Amino acid sequence: MEVEITTENFETYKNGELPLVVDLWATWCGPCKMIAPIVSELAKEYDGKIVVGKCDVEEHNDVAIEFGVRNIPTILFFKGGELVDKFVGAAQKSVLDEKFKALL
């Protein structure tokens, strides 16, 4: 299950007990639409192990600014409240799955 990441709830999720993956996207972004189903699949597969969030940078750009994100899609990976990995651009499911596994 995916959660909506907002400026207001980001810190709570980032500092939660489970690792956090944040997909930074926008409605007008073609590559974002390409990876959205992959991120959704991985969210279901890792449910209960990793929190997966979607952050619309048009509505909540504070998160993108805080981490110097200039291109979307960008996926941020957090563990223990710290940024441990970042992936920019579209990718196949196998590539993102490896990143998810590395968080566990």
Side-chain angles (χ1 to χ4, degrees), residues 57-71:
V57 296
E58 292 288 311
E59 294 180 20
H60 306 284
N61 67 348
D62 293 358
V63 176
I65 290 168
E66 181 178 346
F67 294 97
V69 173
R70 296 176 186 258
N71 299 304

Side-chain angles (χ1 to χ4, degrees), residues 24 28 30 39 42 63 70-72 89 92 96 99 102:
L24 297 160
W28 47 262
V39 172
L42 290 168
V63 176
R70 296 176 186 258
N71 299 304
I72 54 173
Q92 294 180 351
L96 294 177
K99 301 265 185 197

Side-chain angles (χ1 to χ4, degrees), residues 5 16 19 25-26 29-30 33 36 46-47 52 56 60-61 65 67 75 77 79 89 93 99:
I5 300 294
W25 68 286
C29 170
K33 292 177 185 175
Y46 287 88
D47 190 35
V52 179
D56 184 339
H60 306 284
N61 67 348
I65 290 168
F67 294 97
I75 302 176
F77 298 84
K79 189 170 189 172
K93 183 179 178 184
K99 301 265 185 197

